[in-house]
Amino acid sequence: MSVINIEHISKLYGDRMVLDDLSCSVDFGDKIGIIGNNGAGKSTLLRMIAGDEETDSGEIIFSRGLTVGWLPQNPEFPEKGSVLSYVCEEMGEDYGMESEAKSMLNALELFDHGQDIRELSGGQKKRAALCRVLLKDSDILILDEPTNHLDSFMADWLEDYLTRYKGVLLLVTHDRYFLDRVTNQIWEVDKGKVFSYEAGYSGYLKRKAEKEEMAQAAERKRQSILRVELQWVMRGARARSTKQKARLQRYEQLKSMDSPQAARQVEMEVVGTRLGKKTIEIQNISKSYGDRCLFSDFTYIFRRYERIGFVGVNGCGKSTLMQILAGNLPPDVGSIEWGETLKIGYFAQECEVMDERQRVIDYIRDTAEYIRTTTGKISASRMLERFLFSPDMQYAPIAKISGGERRRLYLLKVLMGAPNVLILDEPTNDLDIATLQVLEDFLDHFPGIVIVVSHDRYFLDRIADRIAAFEDGTIRVYEGGCTDYMEKSGLAVGKQEDAGASGGRNAGKSGGKRRADAGENTDAGEGPGGAGKKRGSYRQPGREKLRFSFAEQKEYETIDDDIAALEEKMQTIDAEIAKNATDFVKLNEWMQEKETTQKQLDEKTERWVYLNDLAERIEAQKSQKGQTG
C-alpha cells in the first residue's frame, strides 16, 4: 500500500533543472536509500518530501494520519536550553520518555544531559538532532546524512535501531555498509529522474551492472546489424528500386538511434611530487587538553607509500593528531620530523571557509593554474571539468554550488597542490558515492603516503593497509583493513548478511553488531564484499577465455556469402512476383517462397550478429591480454 505518492514534481534552481517531472511512490515497509552525485537533487528531494521546501510543480501526497520524523543535513537549534530539554521538546507532558531519551543520548555519547545546547560541537549537535527525531517514534523517518559525525560504534547502534524500526525509512548516506544493512530499496537520482532498484546496495550494484551490460549488448547488436545493413545498402551498383524499401527504412532507423550514455564520473589522475626516503618520524609525542590526555608516548615512522587509517571514538584526538602531522599544531612533548622532499596535502574534516563571491575557477587557480599529471600538463579548467564542474559552473560564484560540490571542490584544491603525502580527515563526509569510488581508485595509484581518519568502514577496508586505533590514551597499530582490526580487537560480533542476495531485511528483524566480512557478501570488486578485501588482493573476477568452436569458425567464414546468396534470391523472387502478378497460382507459390526465404535471411542475419559480436569480444580479449602480458 502506497503511503507517499510523488506526482510529476519539478524543481529548478536558476537555469538548472534539478528534478524534472518526477513521479514515484513509497509503500509501507519500504526502507529506501537515496544515492546520486553531489548536486543531483538527493537532499532537495528529501526536503520536499519532508515539507521543508516547495515544489515548482506537481505534488506530494501522504496517506492520512501518518507522522513524519525529519532530520535535515543542517538542523536548526534553539538559542538556549539543555540537551535533554531540546531532544524531549516535542514530547509534551510525556515525562516517561525522559528515561528513554537519556538512554539514547548516552548511546550517542552525549553524557552531560544538562549541558547547554550552545556549547555542543557541530557533530554533537547533529547527534542530538538525530536523538530528537528518533524519540518521536514516527511512522515515516526521513534522514539526510545521519551517519555523519557517528563513529563505528554509534553507526552500529543506529543500524540496529533502523533494522528493527517498523515504519517507512528514506535516507541519504554515503556509508555503503550502512546502506547494505538497513535498506531494502535503492533510489538513484540522476538527470532529474529517480531509478528504483528493489535491493540493498550490493543488489543495486549487481542489478545496475546487469542493466548496463544489457544496454551495451543491445548497442553491440545494433552496431552489428547496422554494419550488415550498410554492407547491403552499399553493395554493388544495383538499381536503387530493386532494394527493399523496408530494409532501407530499417537502416535509417538504426542509424538514427542514440547510443546508451555512460554516467558522468569524476576523473582523477595520479599527481604528486617525488617522495624521498625520509618521511614522517614521530618520537614519543603526547597531547592533552586541560586534565584530559588524548594520547601519550606515540612513536611511529611512516613508510613510503603507506596507507594507514586512524580510528577511534569521537573526541579521542584523531583530528588533533592530523593537525600535528600537518605541522599546524605542536605536540605537548616529544618530537616530529618531516623529510625534506615532503609536500603535504591536508584535507580537513570541515570544509575550509570559502569566499562565496569568488568564482569556482578562481578558487582553484589560487592554488595552481596548471598541474602535471601522468598524461602531461593540465589546466585548472580541465581539472574542474574532470571533477564534474561544467564550464558554466566554473564561472559561477561559489554561493551557487551545493555543499557536496563545495567538498569536491575543496578536494580538488588539495590535489592541485601536487602533494606526496595526503592527510585526509573524514574525507567521506558529504562526498557522493561515485566520487568516493573514484577517490578510492585514485588512492590505489597515488605515489605517496596516505593517512586517513574515517568512520567509514567500507572506505577503510577499501584503501587501508594498516589501522591505528586510539585505545584509552594510547595508539595501537593493526595490520590490515577495518574488518581485520575489528576481528583482532574483538569488537566485531556476528557477521554481515548478504543484503544483495536477500534484497534487504524484514523491517522488524534485530541486527546487533556485526562483522563486515569481506568474503561473505558479493563477488570481488562489487559492493562491500569486494571492497572488504585488502588492497593487495583486490581483483576483478576471472573471465573465461572466449573462443570459436570448430563449427562456429567455419560458419563465420562463410556466413557473409550465405547472406549475399539469400539476398540475391530475394531479388529474383521479387522479379518473378512482378512478372506473374496476374497468374494467381504462380503468384501464390512465389509469395510462399518469399516468406520462407525471408525467414532464412532473418535467421542468418541474427546468426551473423552473434558470430560477429563474439569475434569482436575475442579480439578485445586478445588485445587486453597483449597489453597486460
Short mmCIF file of all heavy atoms in Angstrom, two decimals, residues 53-90:
data_model
loop_
_atom_site.label_atom_id
_atom_site.label_comp_id
_atom_site.label_asym_id
_atom_site.label_seq_id
_atom_site.Cartn_x
_atom_site.Cartn_y
_atom_site.Cartn_z
N GLU A 53 10.57 22.33 1.74
CA GLU A 53 10.79 23.08 0.50
C GLU A 53 9.63 22.81 -0.44
O GLU A 53 9.13 21.68 -0.53
CB GLU A 53 12.13 22.66 -0.13
CG GLU A 53 12.54 23.50 -1.32
CD GLU A 53 14.00 23.28 -1.69
OE1 GLU A 53 14.79 22.85 -0.83
OE2 GLU A 53 14.34 23.55 -2.87
N GLU A 54 9.24 23.86 -1.15
CA GLU A 54 8.12 23.75 -2.09
C GLU A 54 8.59 23.20 -3.44
O GLU A 54 9.71 23.43 -3.86
CB GLU A 54 7.48 25.12 -2.30
CG GLU A 54 6.80 25.69 -1.07
CD GLU A 54 5.55 24.93 -0.68
OE1 GLU A 54 4.89 24.37 -1.59
OE2 GLU A 54 5.25 24.87 0.53
N THR A 55 7.71 22.48 -4.10
CA THR A 55 7.97 22.06 -5.47
C THR A 55 7.62 23.21 -6.42
O THR A 55 6.79 24.06 -6.09
CB THR A 55 7.14 20.83 -5.85
OG1 THR A 55 5.76 21.20 -5.85
CG2 THR A 55 7.37 19.69 -4.87
N ASP A 56 8.28 23.25 -7.58
CA ASP A 56 7.88 24.23 -8.60
C ASP A 56 6.59 23.80 -9.28
O ASP A 56 5.79 24.63 -9.70
CB ASP A 56 9.00 24.39 -9.64
CG ASP A 56 10.22 25.11 -9.06
OD1 ASP A 56 10.07 25.75 -8.02
OD2 ASP A 56 11.30 25.01 -9.66
N SER A 57 6.42 22.48 -9.42
CA SER A 57 5.18 21.95 -10.00
C SER A 57 4.99 20.54 -9.47
O SER A 57 5.92 19.93 -8.93
CB SER A 57 5.26 21.93 -11.53
OG SER A 57 6.31 21.13 -11.99
N GLY A 58 3.78 20.00 -9.64
CA GLY A 58 3.48 18.67 -9.11
C GLY A 58 3.14 18.71 -7.64
O GLY A 58 3.13 19.77 -7.00
N GLU A 59 2.87 17.53 -7.07
CA GLU A 59 2.51 17.47 -5.66
C GLU A 59 2.97 16.16 -5.03
O GLU A 59 3.23 15.17 -5.71
CB GLU A 59 1.00 17.63 -5.49
CG GLU A 59 0.16 16.59 -6.22
CD GLU A 59 -1.33 16.82 -6.04
OE1 GLU A 59 -1.70 17.53 -5.09
OE2 GLU A 59 -2.11 16.28 -6.84
N ILE A 60 3.08 16.20 -3.69
CA ILE A 60 3.45 15.03 -2.90
C ILE A 60 2.31 14.76 -1.93
O ILE A 60 1.95 15.62 -1.12
CB ILE A 60 4.78 15.27 -2.15
CG1 ILE A 60 5.90 15.55 -3.16
CG2 ILE A 60 5.13 14.07 -1.29
CD1 ILE A 60 7.22 15.96 -2.52
N ILE A 61 1.73 13.56 -2.03
CA ILE A 61 0.52 13.23 -1.26
C ILE A 61 0.85 12.13 -0.26
O ILE A 61 1.39 11.07 -0.61
CB ILE A 61 -0.60 12.75 -2.21
CG1 ILE A 61 -0.87 13.81 -3.29
CG2 ILE A 61 -1.85 12.43 -1.43
CD1 ILE A 61 -1.75 13.32 -4.41
N PHE A 62 0.52 12.39 1.01
CA PHE A 62 0.72 11.41 2.10
C PHE A 62 -0.62 10.77 2.46
O PHE A 62 -1.68 11.41 2.37
CB PHE A 62 1.27 12.11 3.35
CG PHE A 62 2.73 12.44 3.29
CD1 PHE A 62 3.18 13.54 2.58
CD2 PHE A 62 3.67 11.66 3.94
CE1 PHE A 62 4.51 13.87 2.52
CE2 PHE A 62 5.01 11.97 3.89
CZ PHE A 62 5.43 13.07 3.18
N SER A 63 -0.55 9.51 2.89
CA SER A 63 -1.74 8.89 3.47
C SER A 63 -2.09 9.62 4.77
O SER A 63 -1.20 10.14 5.47
CB SER A 63 -1.48 7.41 3.76
OG SER A 63 -1.26 6.70 2.56
N ARG A 64 -3.35 9.65 5.10
CA ARG A 64 -3.81 10.41 6.27
C ARG A 64 -3.33 9.78 7.57
O ARG A 64 -3.21 8.57 7.70
CB ARG A 64 -5.34 10.48 6.29
CG ARG A 64 -5.90 11.36 5.19
CD ARG A 64 -7.40 11.46 5.31
NE ARG A 64 -7.98 12.32 4.28
CZ ARG A 64 -9.27 12.57 4.16
NH1 ARG A 64 -10.13 12.04 5.03
NH2 ARG A 64 -9.71 13.37 3.19
N GLY A 65 -3.10 10.66 8.55
CA GLY A 65 -2.82 10.21 9.91
C GLY A 65 -1.39 9.77 10.17
O GLY A 65 -1.09 9.27 11.26
N LEU A 66 -0.48 9.93 9.22
CA LEU A 66 0.90 9.48 9.41
C LEU A 66 1.76 10.61 9.97
O LEU A 66 1.63 11.77 9.58
CB LEU A 66 1.50 9.02 8.08
CG LEU A 66 0.83 7.81 7.42
CD1 LEU A 66 1.50 7.49 6.10
CD2 LEU A 66 0.88 6.59 8.34
N THR A 67 2.64 10.25 10.90
CA THR A 67 3.57 11.24 11.47
C THR A 67 4.94 11.07 10.81
O THR A 67 5.34 9.98 10.43
CB THR A 67 3.71 11.04 12.98
OG1 THR A 67 4.12 9.70 13.25
CG2 THR A 67 2.40 11.31 13.69
N VAL A 68 5.63 12.20 10.68
CA VAL A 68 6.90 12.23 9.96
C VAL A 68 8.00 12.75 10.88
O VAL A 68 7.84 13.80 11.52
CB VAL A 68 6.81 13.11 8.70
CG1 VAL A 68 8.17 13.18 7.99
CG2 VAL A 68 5.75 12.57 7.74
N GLY A 69 9.12 12.03 10.94
CA GLY A 69 10.32 12.49 11.62
C GLY A 69 11.34 12.91 10.58
O GLY A 69 11.66 12.13 9.69
N TRP A 70 11.88 14.13 10.71
CA TRP A 70 12.73 14.70 9.66
C TRP A 70 14.05 15.20 10.25
O TRP A 70 14.06 16.03 11.14
CB TRP A 70 11.97 15.81 8.96
CG TRP A 70 12.74 16.82 8.14
CD1 TRP A 70 12.63 18.18 8.23
CD2 TRP A 70 13.69 16.57 7.09
NE1 TRP A 70 13.45 18.79 7.31
CE2 TRP A 70 14.11 17.82 6.59
CE3 TRP A 70 14.23 15.41 6.53
CZ2 TRP A 70 15.04 17.94 5.56
CZ3 TRP A 70 15.15 15.53 5.51
CH2 TRP A 70 15.55 16.78 5.03
N LEU A 71 15.15 14.64 9.74
CA LEU A 71 16.49 15.09 10.13
C LEU A 71 17.16 15.72 8.91
O LEU A 71 17.65 15.02 8.03
CB LEU A 71 17.34 13.91 10.63
CG LEU A 71 18.79 14.27 10.99
CD1 LEU A 71 18.82 15.10 12.28
CD2 LEU A 71 19.65 13.02 11.14
N PRO A 72 17.20 17.05 8.83
CA PRO A 72 17.88 17.69 7.71
C PRO A 72 19.40 17.58 7.86
O PRO A 72 19.91 17.22 8.93
CB PRO A 72 17.42 19.15 7.79
CG PRO A 72 17.06 19.35 9.21
CD PRO A 72 16.59 18.03 9.75
N GLN A 73 20.10 17.90 6.79
CA GLN A 73 21.56 17.83 6.83
C GLN A 73 22.13 18.85 7.80
O GLN A 73 23.13 18.58 8.48
CB GLN A 73 22.12 18.05 5.41
CG GLN A 73 23.55 17.59 5.25
CD GLN A 73 23.94 17.50 3.79
OE1 GLN A 73 23.20 17.88 2.91
NE2 GLN A 73 25.13 17.00 3.53
N ASN A 74 21.51 20.01 7.89
CA ASN A 74 21.99 21.07 8.80
C ASN A 74 20.81 21.53 9.66
O ASN A 74 20.14 22.52 9.33
CB ASN A 74 22.56 22.24 8.01
CG ASN A 74 23.78 21.84 7.19
OD1 ASN A 74 24.79 21.41 7.73
ND2 ASN A 74 23.67 21.96 5.87
N PRO A 75 20.53 20.82 10.75
CA PRO A 75 19.37 21.17 11.59
C PRO A 75 19.54 22.54 12.25
O PRO A 75 20.66 23.02 12.44
CB PRO A 75 19.35 20.06 12.66
CG PRO A 75 20.28 18.99 12.15
CD PRO A 75 21.28 19.67 11.29
N GLU A 76 18.43 23.15 12.62
CA GLU A 76 18.45 24.41 13.36
C GLU A 76 18.28 24.10 14.85
O GLU A 76 17.59 23.15 15.23
CB GLU A 76 17.33 25.34 12.88
CG GLU A 76 17.50 25.80 11.44
CD GLU A 76 16.41 26.75 11.01
OE1 GLU A 76 15.49 27.00 11.84
OE2 GLU A 76 16.45 27.23 9.87
N PHE A 77 18.89 24.93 15.68
CA PHE A 77 18.88 24.68 17.13
C PHE A 77 18.45 25.94 17.87
O PHE A 77 18.65 27.05 17.40
CB PHE A 77 20.27 24.24 17.60
CG PHE A 77 20.75 22.97 16.98
CD1 PHE A 77 21.49 22.99 15.79
CD2 PHE A 77 20.45 21.74 17.54
CE1 PHE A 77 21.92 21.81 15.21
CE2 PHE A 77 20.87 20.56 16.95
CZ PHE A 77 21.60 20.60 15.78
N PRO A 78 17.84 25.76 19.06
CA PRO A 78 17.41 26.92 19.85
C PRO A 78 18.62 27.68 20.41
O PRO A 78 19.73 27.13 20.50
CB PRO A 78 16.58 26.29 20.97
CG PRO A 78 17.11 24.90 21.10
CD PRO A 78 17.50 24.47 19.71
N GLU A 79 18.39 28.92 20.77
CA GLU A 79 19.49 29.73 21.30
C GLU A 79 19.81 29.39 22.75
O GLU A 79 20.87 29.76 23.24
CB GLU A 79 19.12 31.21 21.19
CG GLU A 79 19.00 31.69 19.73
CD GLU A 79 18.73 33.17 19.65
OE1 GLU A 79 18.64 33.81 20.73
OE2 GLU A 79 18.62 33.69 18.52
N LYS A 80 18.92 28.72 23.44
CA LYS A 80 19.19 28.35 24.82
C LYS A 80 18.45 27.07 25.16
O LYS A 80 17.56 26.62 24.43
CB LYS A 80 18.80 29.47 25.77
CG LYS A 80 17.31 29.81 25.74
CD LYS A 80 17.00 30.94 26.71
CE LYS A 80 15.51 31.28 26.67
NZ LYS A 80 15.17 32.36 27.63
N GLY A 81 18.83 26.47 26.28
CA GLY A 81 18.20 25.23 26.72
C GLY A 81 19.20 24.10 26.82
O GLY A 81 20.25 24.11 26.17
N SER A 82 18.86 23.10 27.62
CA SER A 82 19.76 21.95 27.82
C SER A 82 19.58 20.95 26.68
O SER A 82 18.60 20.99 25.93
CB SER A 82 19.45 21.27 29.16
OG SER A 82 18.18 20.63 29.09
N VAL A 83 20.53 20.04 26.60
CA VAL A 83 20.47 18.98 25.60
C VAL A 83 19.21 18.16 25.80
O VAL A 83 18.47 17.85 24.85
CB VAL A 83 21.72 18.09 25.67
CG1 VAL A 83 21.59 16.89 24.73
CG2 VAL A 83 22.98 18.88 25.36
N LEU A 84 18.92 17.79 27.06
CA LEU A 84 17.76 16.94 27.35
C LEU A 84 16.46 17.65 27.00
O LEU A 84 15.55 17.04 26.42
CB LEU A 84 17.77 16.53 28.82
CG LEU A 84 16.67 15.55 29.25
CD1 LEU A 84 16.78 14.24 28.48
CD2 LEU A 84 16.72 15.28 30.76
N SER A 85 16.35 18.93 27.35
CA SER A 85 15.11 19.65 27.05
C SER A 85 14.92 19.79 25.55
O SER A 85 13.79 19.76 25.05
CB SER A 85 15.13 21.04 27.72
OG SER A 85 16.16 21.84 27.17
N TYR A 86 16.02 19.91 24.80
CA TYR A 86 15.93 20.02 23.35
C TYR A 86 15.39 18.73 22.73
O TYR A 86 14.46 18.76 21.91
CB TYR A 86 17.29 20.36 22.76
CG TYR A 86 17.38 20.16 21.26
CD1 TYR A 86 16.74 21.02 20.38
CD2 TYR A 86 18.10 19.08 20.73
CE1 TYR A 86 16.80 20.83 19.01
CE2 TYR A 86 18.18 18.89 19.36
CZ TYR A 86 17.53 19.76 18.51
OH TYR A 86 17.60 19.56 17.16
N VAL A 87 15.94 17.58 23.13
CA VAL A 87 15.52 16.33 22.49
C VAL A 87 14.13 15.92 22.94
O VAL A 87 13.42 15.20 22.21
CB VAL A 87 16.53 15.19 22.75
CG1 VAL A 87 17.90 15.53 22.22
CG2 VAL A 87 16.59 14.81 24.22
N CYS A 88 13.68 16.38 24.12
CA CYS A 88 12.35 16.00 24.62
C CYS A 88 11.28 17.05 24.34
O CYS A 88 10.13 16.88 24.75
CB CYS A 88 12.42 15.76 26.14
SG CYS A 88 13.37 14.30 26.61
N GLU A 89 11.66 18.13 23.64
CA GLU A 89 10.77 19.28 23.48
C GLU A 89 9.43 18.90 22.87
O GLU A 89 8.38 19.39 23.29
CB GLU A 89 11.44 20.34 22.61
CG GLU A 89 10.63 21.60 22.43
CD GLU A 89 11.36 22.63 21.59
OE1 GLU A 89 12.46 22.33 21.09
OE2 GLU A 89 10.82 23.74 21.43
N GLU A 90 9.42 18.01 21.90
CA GLU A 90 8.18 17.67 21.21
C GLU A 90 7.42 16.53 21.89
O GLU A 90 6.40 16.08 21.38
CB GLU A 90 8.48 17.30 19.76
CG GLU A 90 9.05 18.46 18.96
CD GLU A 90 9.17 18.15 17.48
OE1 GLU A 90 8.52 17.18 17.02
OE2 GLU A 90 9.90 18.86 16.78
#
